[in-house]
Amino acid sequence: MKKVLGIIALALMVSVGRVYADEGMWLPMFVERLNYVDMQKMGLQLTPEELYSINHSSLKDAIVGLGSDPMPRGFFCTGEIVSEHGLLFTNHHCGYSAVQKLSSDQYDYLRDGFWAKNYGEELPAPDMTASFLIRMEDVTKDILGVVTDDMDYQDRQAAIRKKIKEMETAASEGGKYNPVIKGFFEGNEYYMFVYQVYTDVRLVGVANESIGKFGGDTDNWMWPRHTGDFSIFRVYADKDGNPAAYSKDNVPLTPKHHLPISLDGVQKDDFTMIWGFPGSTERYMSSYGIDYNVDTFYPMIVDIFGKELEVMEEYMKADEHIRLMYSDNHAGLANTWKNFIGQCTMLRKNKVSETKVALEHDFTKWVNQNGKTEYKNALPNLRKAYGDLGEVAKFVYYPNFIANIGAAGIAGQFGSYYQAYLDKDKDAMEMNLMMLQQMNVDEFFAETDPQVEKKTFAEMLKTYKNAFSADELPEIYSIIDKKFKGDIDAFTDDVYANSIFATPESIKAFIEKPNPKKIGKDYAYIMNTSMMDVIMNHMGDYRAAMQTVSENDHVFVKGLREYYAATQPEKSLYPDANSTMRMSYGSVQDYMPADAVHYDYVCTANGILEKYVPGDYEFDAPKQLISLIEKRDFGVYADDSGELVVCFLSTNDITGGNSGSPIMNGKGELLGLAFDGNWEAMSGDVNFEPRLQRTINVDIRYVLFIIDKYAGATNIIDELDIRKGEPKPLRVEEEKI
Ligand code: ARG
């Protein structure tokens, strides 16, 4: 009923018999209509009103979108409220950026962890906002009502944007709420989400990185996993409970709902639901889009990020100060880099493009048989547009990532000033110089290390050169050839010794006493403009292709919905993730990643001992943790067989943005925090893989064990609403032994 699968996947499902997976990221507003009966059968005990209500407090009121912006258009993660005093749980990797920013060489909270003993010790988290969804509503008629048949794509988009703005402003009730309208099904439906955004969010507790990121990038995106991926924050409000900028007079928020916590743990087949803010999926993408990503887009980004990471790691491993400074940047790049490698591999291995080709074949047949001329050209247009993108993409992405590296980045800021000089436009020169004088030069260099920047500069120039043929290389390479015999390192040494833009001091001196003629001869500047020229020369083609994709995706998805309604009327479709609140449900399940290999659905602290490598960059762990595990001192957090479960698997359908989401049992009690997907189903954003796709969750008992037994932060434990039911029978596997 809920499956949106192509022919091959559907056949697979039939052949494996019982299927536990539950595909779909459902909009809360429709849960009662589309999912409730099914969920009840699987083990849900709450009423629809207890899940989502706009009149009473409900579960949705405990689900928080974490953003860096007060305008909740996108969320980087999800959090959940777990106490009546606004306490919030999310992942360690979601709090990572804030924790890094709060750290210094003296107080390195990433390395050492941080635990506030009382409200007064909690630290205002930079750039973290907490959004609560008040209500959502269907505004499709209003938005699409402004579109007329004679409008072309541009006019249509402009009219829609205008209407969205108008409606958002009206719904804000003079600034009380933050409403956001978003398109669904490639712009075939529109919904408004009304939020309240709290900007005073404070760090309460975080474990050492060697717990919160245990296993590092080697284990990232993989099972079995032994990562304590959680961190703890608190939402503050003014004394009336309203959002307010940070003030010492603010008080902990009294939430409408908070999640109770279950100590009962999980067993195979247990019902689970996850609520959160998945960021983006492409479940309706055409085979052409998939081929473009696999053949062109992902390999390109993997190439660029891989090189950047290599340089960063070299210095991060050698120097604690550099490690701290680059950790957030590194974690983000590494996460995407490994994800794209996984997507390339698994989209191929799981034959996702082939699945889509089969669907497209059936769709086209249906279009032709039923005279649906409206949809006739969508797929051919998509094929052409993705073909064009495949040609032009490297001329946009490579230079885009390289133009602003190190000295070249700040050199680019002097472009308008230099142009005014070339144009002999005195007024413009003066105005641009004034702007340069106001620029905070030091900020440009803050949180960067000159050695890392210089090495990256050289390595990225090499990466670029490798990716293009000789006749495609921009001006800067002929300088490198002529003046430096093609030696990029020698060229880089020269830039960092002689360019105006190499150090804050030389830039400031230049601004003080500018000699504009010099800019045009500066190699950092020429590097920047060389790359920018490449982008400019190809941007027109790139934009045109992107627009064709967007236009025809809109038509294709419209057609697909009609096709499904006509051919499989029992199927409910769910919209792609787009940073709006979604519910997904499924069950606790193991899986078989390969022939004859079985992965259990839980892993335990024993695995931490197995993986532990003292002093290692990724597999070190605090001595005290190791000793607690060795002594098997797990307290009330052990399962009935005395083991400490660290993480567990479920079939819930999630994606990036869901990180930190609560995974709950049928009573709406917290069982753990979702934090990752598994390697074998990295193609899952494009096509859900029922046999393989799992969500990796950190078990709440491990979270509480770390807070309580490891960190001794009993003040946090005391605040929680912890529940324990009857002991359960041992797991089947254990009974056998
Ligand atoms: N894969 C996780 C996600 O995207 C992030 C894990 C962060 N850990 C890391 N080792 N980079 O949500």
Side-chain angles (χ1 to χ4, degrees):
M1 190 188 83
K2 302 167 298 304
K3 311 285 185 284
V4 186
L5 295 164
I7 306 307
I8 294 176
L10 213 60
L12 273 177
M13 284 174 48
V14 175
S15 68
V16 296
R18 185 168 175 195
V19 174
Y20 309 95
D22 262 286
E23 171 175 3
M25 301 174 179
W26 305 95
L27 282 165
M29 189 173 135
F30 299 127
V31 164
E32 178 167 10
R33 177 151 63 82
L34 298 180
N35 318 105
Y36 187 71
V37 172
D38 201 26
M39 289 169 76
Q40 236 184 343
K41 274 190 214 140
M42 289 177 70
L44 176 67
Q45 295 175 36
L46 302 178
T47 65
E49 277 279 294
E50 287 171 316
L51 293 174
Y52 176 83
S53 165
I54 53 173
N55 301 315
H56 311 285
S57 67
S58 57
L59 187 140
K60 75 121 167 70
D61 296 317
I63 313 301
V64 180
L66 297 178
S68 29
D69 201 305
M71 202 53 205
R73 288 207 187 273
F75 302 108
F76 57 82
C77 277
T78 303
E80 55 277 357
I81 299 293
V82 289
S83 88
E84 10 179 73
H85 307 296
L87 198 69
L88 178 147
F89 282 175
T90 185
N91 288 151
H92 182 274
H93 76 264
C94 298
Y96 202 79
S97 181
V99 176
Q100 188 215 337
K101 287 182 191 134
L102 289 169
S103 296
S104 59
D105 291 336
Q106 193 186 357
Y107 298 106
D108 187 342
Y109 302 132
L110 276 187
R111 189 188 56 209
D112 304 330
F114 169 83
W115 301 96
K117 292 268 169 292
N118 50 52
Y119 293 158
E121 285 181 14
E122 296 173 1
L123 302 172
D127 301 328
M128 196 189 270
T129 60
S131 297
F132 289 79
L133 178 66
I134 307 300
R135 63 187 159 90
M136 63 171 289
E137 62 189 86
D138 186 350
V139 294
T140 309
K141 285 208 177 70
D142 304 87
I143 300 295
L144 292 183
V146 301
V147 174
T148 54
D149 285 343
D150 57 335
M151 285 179 176
D152 66 11
Y153 179 80
Q154 310 280 7
D155 292 344
R156 184 191 148 96
Q157 294 309 103
I160 289 175
R161 272 197 303 272
K162 184 161 164 263
K163 184 69 184 171
I164 286 181
K165 195 141 203 261
E166 220 175 272
M167 289 189 72
E168 285 179 350
T169 309
S172 85
E173 297 183 23
K176 181 166 178 219
Y177 297 116
N178 305 57
V180 168
I181 294 176
K182 292 215 170 176
F184 290 71
F185 294 111
E186 302 295 341
N188 286 293
E189 289 181 9
Y190 286 84
Y191 291 85
M192 174 155 69
F193 298 81
V194 177
Y195 298 98
Q196 265 192 310
V197 183
Y198 289 80
T199 50
D200 185 355
V201 179
R202 303 185 195 172
L203 177 65
V204 176
V206 63
N208 319 56
E209 189 170 8
S210 55
I211 292 174
K213 201 184 166 187
F214 181 77
D217 293 307
T218 302
D219 273 10
N220 191 17
W221 298 114
M222 285 180 168
W223 179 259
R225 189 70 156 276
H226 296 83
T227 308
D229 203 341
F230 74 96
S231 57
I232 308 171
F233 292 82
R234 191 186 304 282
V235 182
Y236 279 76
D238 70 14
K239 58 177 183 357
D240 303 317
N242 293 316
Y246 171 82
S247 151
K248 62 174 177 26
D249 300 329
N250 285 350
V251 293
L253 173 76
T254 306
K256 292 194 196 120
H257 183 69
H258 70 266
L259 301 182
I261 291 174
S262 167
L263 283 188
D264 294 342
V266 295
Q267 291 195 302
K268 190 171 153 84
D269 298 335
D270 279 355
F271 170 80
T272 52
M273 62 178 168
I274 291 180
W275 289 63
F277 291 88
S280 131
T281 52
E282 313 229 54
R283 296 275 165 81
Y284 302 97
M285 189 179 237
S286 64
S287 60
Y288 308 110
I290 297 168
D291 294 344
Y292 161 74
N293 279 343
V294 170
D295 297 333
T296 307
F297 180 66
Y298 292 152
M300 190 164 61
I301 303 297
V302 166
D303 183 31
I304 298 168
F305 285 11
K307 208 20 129 198
E308 287 195 51
L309 287 165
E310 217 178 282
V311 176
M312 268 185 220
E313 281 164 25
E314 181 189 332
Y315 291 93
M316 286 172 77
K317 284 181 180 164
D319 185 318
E320 279 281 285
H321 173 74
I322 296 181
R323 179 196 61 77
L324 178 61
M325 189 155 67
Y326 281 88
S327 5
D328 185 36
N329 193 354
H330 177 274
L333 284 181
N335 195 41
T336 304
W337 172 78
K338 192 166 175 186
N339 177 293
F340 283 8
I341 293 175
Q343 287 212 46
C344 273
T345 316
M346 296 309 163
L347 282 164
R348 286 201 178 101
K349 195 164 172 194
N350 294 328
K351 300 203 182 333
V352 177
S353 182
E354 288 86 332
T355 304
K356 298 285 182 177
V357 168
L359 169 68
E360 287 160 13
H361 176 85
D362 287 357
F363 172 76
T364 305
K365 213 161 103 191
W366 172 84
V367 166
N368 292 335
Q369 277 171 356
N370 296 282
K372 300 281 175 190
T373 44
E374 186 189 347
Y375 308 127
K376 227 176 153 58
N377 294 326
L379 284 168
N381 288 346
L382 284 168
R383 181 177 60 213
K384 165 88 174 54
Y386 277 113
D388 293 348
L389 267 186
E391 301 282 314
V392 76
K394 72 171 184 178
F395 295 99
V396 174
Y397 284 96
Y398 274 100
N400 184 52
F401 281 105
I402 292 175
N404 291 314
I405 282 176
I410 194 154
Q413 303 289 317
F414 286 70
S416 310
Y417 173 66
Y418 183 59
Q419 191 56 49
Y421 162 76
L422 291 180
D423 297 343
K424 301 198 168 55
D425 183 341
K426 285 245 158 59
D427 290 344
M429 270 181 85
E430 204 167 306
M431 202 186 75
N432 277 294
L433 186 63
M434 247 166 61
M435 273 156 52
L436 291 172
Q437 280 160 350
Q438 276 157 27
M439 180 168 69
N440 188 339
V441 175
D442 291 316
E443 199 155 276
F444 240 91
F445 288 82
E447 297 302 307
T448 62
D449 176 83
Q451 306 165 75
V452 180
E453 296 303 307
K454 181 178 166 185
K455 181 84 187 239
T456 309
F457 186 97
E459 292 308 314
M460 294 312 285
L461 276 169
K462 293 176 200 169
T463 304
Y464 190 99
K465 194 174 171 192
N466 278 337
F468 291 83
S469 61
D471 60 325
E472 289 171 338
L473 293 174
E475 185 197 352
I476 193 73
Y477 288 94
S478 48
I479 296 181
I480 296 172
D481 282 343
K482 280 191 208 120
K483 300 259 162 79
F484 300 90
K485 301 201 183 77
D487 183 343
I488 290 177
D489 291 322
F491 166 75
T492 303
D493 285 341
D494 187 279
V495 168
Y496 276 82
N498 299 316
S499 164
I500 304 164
F501 308 105
T503 67
E505 294 73 34
S506 57
I507 297 169
K508 286 182 202 160
F510 181 87
I511 294 174
E512 195 103 321
K513 222 171 153 229
N515 177 357
K517 206 164 71 188
K518 278 194 168 166
I519 297 176
K521 296 203 178 91
D522 190 285
Y523 287 156
Y525 182 74
I526 299 174
M527 147 111 158
N528 176 270
T529 51
S530 287
M531 295 293 167
M532 295 310 281
D533 285 349
V534 178
I535 300 176
M536 282 308 161
N537 291 338
H538 295 89
M539 207 53 194
D541 291 347
Y542 177 80
R543 282 226 180 91
M546 285 302 252
Q547 181 178 317
T548 309
V549 166
S550 153
E551 247 177 297
N552 287 281
D553 269 345
H554 171 80
V555 179
F556 176 52
V557 171
K558 186 167 179 219
L560 261 187
R561 297 177 80 194
E562 203 180 316
Y563 159 80
Y564 279 125
T567 59
Q568 298 163 53
E570 71 292 348
K571 185 198 284 280
S572 315
L573 300 188
Y574 59 91
D576 267 317
N578 61 354
S579 274
T580 56
M581 190 186 282
R582 303 297 176 92
M583 187 273 317
S584 109
Y585 62 102
S587 59
V588 174
Q589 293 302 337
D590 48 4
Y591 72 108
M592 293 190 69
D595 185 39
V597 184
H598 174 233
Y599 277 166
D600 203 353
Y601 61 89
V602 288
C603 65
T604 68
N606 303 324
I608 298 178
L609 298 185
E610 287 171 10
K611 288 179 177 175
Y612 174 51
V613 181
D616 186 76
Y617 201 66
E618 299 183 308
F619 291 94
D620 195 10
K623 290 219 165 50
Q624 187 206 341
L625 175 68
I626 297 299
S627 133
L628 281 170
I629 301 174
E630 279 170 345
K631 286 192 286 202
R632 306 185 65 75
D633 187 0
F634 304 142
V636 294
Y637 308 111
D639 71 5
D640 296 330
S641 64
E643 298 295 339
L644 179 64
V645 172
V646 176
C647 295
F648 67 92
L649 296 176
S650 66
T651 60
N652 300 75
D653 187 1
I654 67 160
T655 190
N658 265 121
S659 284
S661 291
I663 178 159
M664 293 164 280
N665 62 18
K667 292 186 266 190
E669 297 165 343
L670 192 63
L671 296 168
L673 273 58
F675 73 94
D676 214 356
N678 60 328
W679 190 244
E680 297 79 9
M682 293 291 274
S683 47
D685 278 356
V686 183
N687 200 45
F688 190 83
E689 299 290 341
R691 278 184 319 122
L692 290 174
Q693 194 153 334
R694 299 291 178 265
T695 286
I696 304 178
N697 309 282
V698 57
D699 194 297
I700 202 65
R701 292 168 299 176
Y702 184 62
V703 171
L704 299 190
F705 163 82
I706 295 292
I707 299 173
D708 186 354
K709 304 284 291 181
Y710 171 77
T714 47
N715 55 318
I716 297 173
I717 299 289
D718 291 345
E719 206 183 315
L720 302 170
D721 182 356
I722 300 176
R723 300 178 185 179
K724 181 139 177 76
E726 291 303 304
K728 290 191 181 171
L730 290 181
R731 299 202 294 133
V732 181
E733 287 88 334
E734 285 145 12
E735 278 171 355
K736 269 191 266 173
I737 299 168

